[in-house]
Amino acid sequence: MKNIVVLISGSGSNMAAIVRRAQSERWSERLGVRVAAVISNKADAKGLVFAQENGIATAVLDHKAYPSREAFDAALMQEIDRHAPALVVLAGFMRILTPGFVAHYAGRLLNIHPSLLPAFPGLHTHERAIEAGCKFAGATVHEVTAELDHGPILAQAVVPVLPDDTPDVLAARVLTQEHRIYPQAVADFLQRQG
């Protein structure tokens, strides 16, 4: 069985989309894949409740309890590795990861970003897209590399930017597409791994 470990910091809506797709498409029987654990850096992350309700192991590592980013990432790697992951999925995990962490999971670390990369890496993507006068925005699933939001692109979805959009309205439209493309990209990635 190939284990997926998902990292979240908040509502975990992309994680929930992946879990629901795994359930509805019976990934464990068909692909030999399961979401084995959900880990958060915030104890009040709502996504932890969803994971627990779906019988998925959960853990919390508060990044504020560690003296450095490197110390936190080392503890996080130890927790992740307990589940022998074939894939680590960042789903709204609001931490910049150290090069050592990224190297440890090279080739098996995915992220979703709410823009059409390479446009608008980093934060405030929807606001920046509106301010730039973009006619289209979207979401990108990519492999994680040491350079923030610059890994190989696996999937993208495009949404229109409408004249009266606010960042929140655009974010909601993009999020519906994230929930569609991320589970599919995860399944496709694991099938290519064989």
Side-chain angles (χ1 to χ4, degrees), residues 130 160-170 173:
I130 291 168
V161 178
L162 303 177
D164 59 347
D165 271 346
T166 65
D168 288 343
V169 168
L170 180 57
R173 190 176 313 114

Side-chain angles (χ1 to χ4, degrees), residues 2 7 16-18 20 30 35 37 45 50 61 64 88 90 96 102 107 126 130 144 174-175 181 183 194:
K2 291 180 183 175
L7 306 184
I18 291 166
R20 287 186 185 108
R30 285 184 38 251
V35 178
F50 176 88
L61 279 81
K64 294 175 187 166
V88 178
L90 306 177
I96 294 175
V102 173
H126 308 298
I130 291 168
V144 177
V174 170
L175 189 61
I181 66 169

Side-chain angles (χ1 to χ4, degrees), residues 141-142 150 160 163 174:
V141 179
H142 65 96
H150 277 81
V174 170

Side-chain angles (χ1 to χ4, degrees), residues 18 26 48 55 64 73 81 90 124 131 138 155 177:
I18 291 166
R26 299 182 356 265
L48 293 170
K64 294 175 187 166
D73 279 7
D81 288 348
L90 306 177
H124 311 294
E131 287 175 359
Q177 294 305 307

